[in-house]
Amino acid sequence: MLKFLNVNDKDAKRDVLGWILIFISSVLLGIWAVKGTIALRNTLLGIGALISIKYIYQFLKNYHEKIPLKFWMPLILLGLMFCWVITHYVFFSRFPGLQFHELTSTWLRGGLAVMLGLATGLALQKRPHAMSLLWLGMVASFGYLFYQYIPKAMAASSLFAPDYFNYIFYGKISGVLAGTILIAGLCGALADTVRREQWLLAVFVGLFCLVAVAAVLYGYVFILDTRNGIALAVILLSILCFKLMWDVFKVPRFGGIASKGRAILIFVVIGLVTTLTWLGAEHAQHNRGWFSVWEDAQVAVQVEKYPQWQNPQEMGYPKNASGQTVNINNYERIAWGVAGLQIFMPENPLGVGVLKGPFTFLLYEKYPHSGQNMPSTHSAWVEIGLAYGYPGLFLMLGSLIAIVFLSLGSKSLFKDLASFLSLGLIMLYTVGELSNQHAIEILCYLIALMVALLLSYEYKDSDTMRGRSNPLK
């Protein structure tokens, strides 16, 4: 395996703790959004955090050069978020029992995830070629999803077999969480490899990316029936295809493996575009909500004029400009999100202190006649803002925005991975109800991981990286 990954650094080969951290992270990423895995997740997080403490200590002990403060800024913002969560519980709590439970569960695991993410990023700095191993756990989870899907599809005599609550993931949004992270991670890994002109490795990563992305997109269309997953994939893959074509053709001369690698990467791009086009067209046939998004949104944003969002079961749904009743999914997602931003956040600038159902608490408090089936606004950023106010939203979202800006000017070997992952997470948490439990834990992990990957190390040889100065040696 080491030979296959082209790991030439003897220290990296002997770094057993680093390999253990990567293995633990791969398994965790594969099961974080999977039902019935809380005990295993807790065990892996605990073991991983203990190993991470030693690993981070060794790094700080052996690395004596000063790392500019800006590289730590996302982690500082995330650390301040943990401080704000504790401060909010002590001084501003409205639901102390629920808030204490989240402190000792979600936020505690989030803290462990930060340590594991940071240490895993440092381990990957010693072995950049091992990055693809990090995503194998998620690939395995989608493989099991297909194992569950095939009998259902055969029984229904149809490729289209959605069953949101009986598959491996916690509802379809958890499948979108895992799938979007996997797509963003593979896009970034492929873009980084091509940018470094490592054509042989790029061929392997490109083909791996093509197969994995095709499987995720197929799952989005025929198994999970999710529009937000498709939309996010279109954005990320479009950026990847444009970037790959730019990087492939900007090199003036090709020969040997470079020429063959370029041809295969062009094939990968064509394959991605073809797969995305076909599956997108298939999903449009199964989910008619695509065709009225704009008209439904124009109605949904007018939360004062159309108050049906408060209790659609009793008040019914409004009609759009075409005279048709709005698509329920389109209307509720947008209207509840806009209401959270325009009505409830200004009235509760410090938040209510709980991640699970803050919109529901505030809705029933202000509108007692509201319906009983409104679990969230379907936007994690709105929910985090309602839970911990403007300070919480600024700190959590700000850490990802800081990573985006750092990656643009970074010299890290993983700058494109950080760009794709941070951008993907910002968009994903905008359109997904991912504001508590495993979704917060995995967000904390990935922020810390990207901080470690973006530590800017100079390297002399863009082809082999053998001349790179590595402070982890």
Side-chain angles (χ1 to χ4, degrees):
M1 177 62 74
L2 291 174
K3 183 178 180 181
F4 177 72
L5 292 171
N6 193 28
V7 178
N8 297 311
D9 188 344
K10 294 182 180 179
D11 289 334
K13 293 180 182 180
R14 293 195 298 265
D15 181 24
V16 178
L17 290 183
W19 287 112
I20 294 175
L21 288 170
I22 295 172
F23 173 77
I24 290 175
S25 291
S26 181
V27 175
L28 266 174
L29 287 171
I31 68 171
W32 232 318
V34 171
K35 294 184 291 187
T37 60
I38 184 65
L40 180 57
R41 281 158 43 200
N42 288 343
T43 301
L44 291 175
L45 276 172
I47 296 173
L50 291 175
I51 297 174
S52 298
I53 292 173
K54 180 178 181 180
Y55 204 84
I56 295 170
Y57 171 76
Q58 290 176 343
F59 166 75
L60 295 175
K61 179 181 178 181
N62 296 329
Y63 184 56
H64 304 294
E65 297 182 27
K66 183 178 180 181
I67 299 176
L69 180 63
K70 67 177 182 179
F71 289 107
W72 297 113
M73 189 55 62
L75 200 60
I76 292 173
L77 292 174
L78 184 59
L80 290 174
M81 180 64 189
F82 281 89
C83 295
W84 170 237
V85 168
I86 296 173
T87 301
H88 195 289
Y89 171 72
V90 175
F91 296 104
F92 307 107
S93 179
R94 293 173 58 180
F95 305 96
L98 292 174
Q99 195 164 352
F100 181 76
H101 175 72
E102 289 186 349
L103 271 172
T104 55
S105 56
T106 300
W107 290 110
L108 175 59
R109 289 192 293 268
L112 298 177
V114 169
M115 290 187 284
L116 178 59
L118 185 61
T120 302
L122 295 175
L124 286 168
Q125 285 281 6
K126 296 185 70 171
R127 47 183 73 75
H129 302 299
M131 175 56 71
S132 295
L133 298 178
L134 193 64
W135 312 116
L136 289 181
M138 284 186 164
V139 172
S141 68
F142 273 90
Y144 191 82
L145 176 66
F146 276 86
Y147 170 77
Q148 294 178 310
Y149 157 78
I150 291 173
K152 294 180 182 291
M154 294 177 63
S157 298
S158 172
L159 294 177
F160 190 67
D163 189 1
Y164 310 134
F165 301 106
N166 292 312
Y167 283 122
I168 185 175
F169 296 112
Y170 289 104
K172 63 180 180 179
I173 189 57
S174 290
V176 175
L177 171 66
T180 302
I181 292 173
L182 179 58
I183 290 175
L186 290 177
C187 286
L190 179 56
D192 278 325
T193 308
V194 173
R195 175 174 52 83
R196 298 194 298 260
E197 300 176 27
Q198 296 173 289
W199 300 109
L200 183 60
L201 183 62
V203 168
F204 166 73
V205 177
L207 294 176
F208 179 42
C209 179
L210 177 59
V211 174
V213 168
V216 172
L217 290 175
Y218 185 96
Y220 282 175
V221 174
F222 295 108
I223 306 177
L224 301 176
D225 186 23
T226 169
R227 281 183 293 143
N228 53 10
I230 293 290
L232 293 172
V234 168
I235 296 172
L236 291 171
L237 292 174
S238 297
I239 297 173
L240 173 67
C241 290
F242 280 115
K243 189 175 191 315
L244 284 182
M245 289 298 94
W246 173 263
D247 286 342
V248 164
F249 287 108
K250 75 177 181 180
V251 181
R253 295 191 307 273
F254 288 94
I257 187 61
S259 180
K260 295 177 182 178
R262 180 178 69 167
I264 294 177
L265 287 173
I266 293 174
F267 166 77
V268 168
V269 170
I270 294 173
L272 289 172
V273 172
T274 303
T275 302
L276 191 59
T277 302
W278 172 61
L279 291 175
E282 284 289 325
H283 195 242
Q285 298 301 315
H286 292 292
N287 195 315
R288 308 301 294 180
W290 285 109
F291 300 101
S292 61
V293 172
W294 178 248
E295 291 183 335
D296 295 341
Q298 290 178 306
V299 174
V301 296
Q302 302 180 68
V303 291
E304 299 291 349
K305 182 178 180 180
Y306 300 100
Q308 286 92 329
W309 57 271
Q310 298 171 22
N311 193 341
Q313 286 75 26
E314 291 187 6
M315 302 171 67
Y317 291 90
K319 296 183 182 298
N320 57 30
S322 298
Q324 303 293 320
T325 300
V326 295
N327 178 275
I328 294 175
N329 190 271
N330 291 341
Y331 175 74
E332 290 181 345
R333 282 180 175 274
I334 299 171
W336 291 347
V338 171
L341 288 172
Q342 291 187 358
I343 298 176
F344 297 118
M345 281 190 65
E347 294 177 353
N348 302 270
L350 297 181
V352 299
V354 291
L355 289 167
K356 188 173 179 60
F359 177 73
T360 306
F361 289 133
L362 295 172
L363 182 68
Y364 293 163
E365 184 178 85
K366 187 175 181 67
Y367 305 105
H369 65 282
S370 300
Q372 300 297 312
N373 188 28
M374 301 179 185
S376 76
T377 62
H378 295 280
S379 173
W381 298 127
V382 176
E383 294 287 309
I384 291 172
L386 295 176
Y388 289 101
Y390 293 111
L393 179 60
F394 168 78
L395 293 172
M396 287 296 284
L397 182 57
S399 62
L400 284 175
I401 294 175
I403 290 173
V404 172
F405 282 102
L406 280 176
S407 65
L408 295 177
S410 174
K411 297 178 181 178
S412 168
L413 299 171
F414 303 101
K415 59 177 294 185
D416 290 328
L417 174 64
S419 296
F420 274 96
L421 257 183
S422 54
L423 179 61
L425 289 171
I426 290 172
M427 296 188 297
L428 172 62
Y429 281 67
T430 299
V431 299
E433 55 271 33
L434 297 165
S435 58
N436 60 78
Q437 297 179 340
H438 64 277
I440 294 297
E441 298 162 23
I442 199 169
L443 179 61
C444 292
Y445 170 87
L446 291 173
I447 290 173
L449 176 75
M450 289 185 286
V451 168
L453 293 178
L454 278 179
L455 293 179
S456 180
Y457 305 143
E458 296 288 347
Y459 58 94
K460 300 175 183 178
D461 190 335
S462 61
D463 287 304
T464 64
M465 298 178 296
R466 292 187 185 126
R468 185 168 64 94
S469 174
N470 191 339
L472 295 173
K473 287 185 178 181

